[in-house]
Structure formats: structure tokens, C-alpha cells
Amino acid sequence: MELTPGKLAGLKAVSNERGVIAAAAMDQRGSLQKSLAKAKGVAEVPDSMLEDFKSMVTDTLTQYASAILLDPEFGLPATKKRHGKGLLLAYEKTGYDASDEGRLPDLLDNWSVRRLKEAGADCIKILLYYTPFEKATINDVKHAFIERIGDECRAWDIPFFLEFVGYDVHGEDEKGLAYAKRKPAIVKGSMEEFDKAKYNVDVLKVEVPVQMKFVAGTKAFTGEQAYTRDEALAAFRDAASVVTKPFIYLSAGVTNAIFIETLELAGESGTSFNGVLCGRATWADGVAIFAKDGEKAFADWLSTQGVENISNVNKALEAATSWHEKVKA
């Protein structure tokens, strides 16, 4: 993959000295708002509460991360507290319209790649709900959508991070055993699709190709088996085999302990992953503390447990490889 000067500079800005992306993620919006409200025991919380939470997480965790992913809706105040580390900004609207078929994506109304770059973004991130097993007519809409974003990022010479999250088209529980068995094919097919040059994606932000609680022989295993440990390792290798671009793993809302074991499994499989964008696995347990006990208690939690969580991730990233090996400047 060949990088232009702006894209190369953007990737370097969000990476550590090893060329690994050790980034924290704090772009949650709707889900975070609901979690804060639930923990506080109220129907809704003000926007300022999200802004304060994001600022506190950013201020502490970027001291140990190579970059932070934020959103321009509630995260701009936090961009000033990132200790000089790299900045990725989200471009998509949060969530999706459940009344429409196919979990179609949409962009923030008052933002563009130009405006995000002017706001300080080193890289642009888009989240897309995607499965290769969706109707062709729906996926065609999504393909065209990503082509447009890729062209816009290319025009402004800024790296494009595409995060795709799988879902089920059979009406099954996406946390259940049947979906877990389908997940390797969903992840592999998605990685293969968006590795294509026409999308102009620079970094794929991907789910791991297994559900850890269904992997026999792991600490995360809960009793129902979808894969043996060897099958899980093979799924990691199989998904990675179809891509040429840099790719990083997302934490997908699992606990810190499960995400660390996931990264250890990725390392054991020998995949050439290039880092992480890790959100809830580092700060999620602090939501209730912030909502119930206030900023001082949350600051204490962040400086101890939060730092320990991200330090655990950084240690697991010793297995990651440099994205420099996959690109040409």
C-alpha cells in the first residue's frame, strides 16, 4: 500500500515509536449517555456530563496511549487534554435507525472531512455495521457510502480508519452460540471486502473473528463451545490472510481481562495485527463511579484502575507489528 505525505504523517501521529497504534477510544455517544443515566438513576443526563467524562478519560489515558479517538459532538473539549498525542475523530452519526432495514450508516450533518481536519483530526474514523451475508442491494448502498468517504479522505490527504461491526441477518442473538459460529466468516468476508483498493481505506479496525466466551481452553470460556482453541487460532490466521492493509483490533465492549486474553490469542496465532483502538475495556467500569460518586472519585479510579487497564493493553501489544511493514511512502 502506498501512502501520500498527509496520510503518512497522520498515521505516524497516532502511532507509538514502534509503528504500532496503541490508541484509546472515547467516541461513544448514545450508549454512553444511556449508561450514565442508568447509573445515576435518571431518565437522561446533560451533554455537559458526557463532555466532562470524555475530558477526564482523555486527560488520564492519553498519558499511556499513542492517540485518542473522540467524536466532534461531545468530545471537542477533551481534544485539548490529550497531552500532545494523536487525534482520530469520528464522522458517523451514533447508532442506526432500527426502523430501517440493514442498519444503514449516516454522517454527522454539520461535519465534513475538511471540518474534522480543521478541528485537529490526524485521522478520520467511520463505523459501519456490515455483514457479507446481507442483501446485495443493502450492501451496495454501504459500498458506495464507503467509496465516497474514501474519496473525501483522499482529497484531503488524511488517513481513513474504517471500523466494521458484524451483525446477524437470521434474527439470532448476536451474543449467542449460533452467531458465534458464523462470526469467523462474517469478519473474514468484511476484511476481504474493504481491503479492496477502491475504498481508499488506510487502516481496518476489525473485530476479532471469535466470541471469546465460546473458545474452549480459555479463561473467558463459559461452558458452551463454538470453537476449540486451535480452531480459534486458525480463525485469527484465516481472517488476517485476506488483507494487505494495516489492521487493528477493537475491544467490542468486553472486560479488560477478556480483551487482554484476546490479544494474547491474536499474538499466539501469529497474525500481523498493527495495534488497537481500545475503549470500554479500559474505562467502562468507571462509568458508575463517575455517575454516582462524582469527579473526584472517578479521577482516583482512573489514576489507579484505569491506568492499570491501559497498561495491561500496552503489555499485550508487544505482540503487535509495525504498520510500516505494510506501506510504502
Side-chain angles (χ1 to χ4, degrees):
M1 190 173 89
E2 194 159 350
L3 289 180
T4 54
K7 286 180 178 280
L8 181 61
L11 283 187
K12 286 182 176 179
V14 299
S15 307
N16 64 21
E17 66 282 351
R18 291 177 51 225
V20 169
I21 298 164
M26 188 66 263
D27 64 322
Q28 287 76 7
R29 286 155 277 174
S31 61
L32 177 60
Q33 207 156 22
K34 289 174 185 174
S35 296
L36 287 168
K38 182 179 179 182
K40 202 164 179 63
V42 297
E44 59 183 35
V45 295
D47 292 353
S48 59
M49 193 169 180
L50 272 77
E51 292 176 353
D52 292 344
F53 184 88
K54 289 171 181 283
S55 290
M56 291 184 70
V57 169
T58 300
D59 191 19
T60 299
L61 296 190
T62 52
Q63 297 177 61
Y64 305 89
S66 65
I68 183 81
L69 166 62
L70 290 161
D71 60 279
E73 293 179 280
F74 306 105
L76 290 182
T79 65
K80 299 174 175 59
K81 298 190 174 184
R82 65 183 200 271
H83 300 278
K85 300 299 177 63
L87 176 64
L88 303 98
L89 284 177
Y91 189 14
E92 80 284 345
K93 286 183 178 177
T94 186
Y96 56 88
D97 186 346
S99 64
D100 285 338
E101 186 182 11
R103 305 191 189 188
L104 295 174
D106 199 3
L107 298 178
L108 293 168
D109 292 334
N110 298 325
W111 289 92
S112 63
V113 168
R114 174 180 182 153
R115 292 183 180 191
L116 292 169
K117 189 171 183 177
E118 289 172 347
D122 295 300
C123 303
I124 304 297
K125 190 274 304 187
I126 285 284
L127 183 150
L128 178 74
Y129 291 96
Y130 189 84
T131 170
F133 303 108
E134 182 56 274
K135 293 176 184 175
T137 51
I138 290 174
N139 276 351
D140 194 41
V141 171
K142 295 180 180 182
H143 295 163
F145 178 83
I146 297 304
E147 288 168 17
R148 292 188 202 108
I149 307 303
D151 285 344
E152 194 179 1
C153 288
R154 183 177 61 175
W156 286 98
D157 202 13
I158 189 169
F160 176 18
F161 280 57
L162 175 61
E163 172 184 3
F164 36 87
V165 174
Y167 63 95
D168 185 68
V169 295
H170 302 86
E172 295 167 347
D173 177 10
E174 286 155 17
K175 295 182 179 178
L177 180 64
Y179 181 77
K181 291 178 178 179
R182 299 182 195 277
K183 189 174 182 183
I186 291 171
V187 173
K188 179 183 178 181
S190 301
M191 291 175 72
E192 187 169 28
E193 177 63 37
F194 293 109
D195 191 64
K196 295 175 182 176
K198 68 178 181 178
Y199 296 111
N200 287 299
V201 174
D202 299 294
V203 176
L204 301 171
K205 181 185 176 188
V206 307
E207 296 179 284
V208 297
V210 296
Q211 304 276 57
M212 287 295 289
K213 70 178 183 178
F214 297 109
V215 182
T218 65
K219 288 178 281 187
F221 184 55
T222 55
E224 275 192 300
Q225 180 180 313
Y227 348 80
T228 65
R229 188 181 183 91
D230 284 344
E231 287 170 342
L233 292 170
F236 274 91
R237 290 189 287 267
D238 194 34
S241 72
V242 299
V243 296
T244 58
K245 295 178 184 291
F247 70 93
I248 60 178
Y249 290 123
L250 58 99
S251 58
V254 300
T255 65
N256 188 257
I258 291 177
F259 191 50
I260 297 310
E261 188 175 22
T262 304
L263 294 179
E264 290 171 350
L265 205 63
E268 185 181 338
S269 74
T271 64
S272 60
F273 77 102
N274 306 111
V276 296
L277 257 166
C278 178
R280 288 167 288 177
T282 54
W283 52 257
D285 289 343
V287 169
I289 295 169
F290 177 80
K292 294 177 182 177
D293 303 324
E295 292 188 5
K296 173 64 168 63
F298 185 47
D300 291 342
W301 183 89
L302 276 172
S303 65
T304 52
Q305 189 60 54
V307 168
E308 182 180 331
N309 288 345
I310 197 167
S311 298
N312 290 340
V313 173
N314 286 338
K315 183 167 178 25
L317 282 177
E318 291 173 6
T321 61
S322 172
W323 54 261
H324 289 277
E325 298 171 9
K326 298 178 179 177
V327 305
K328 291 187 296 183

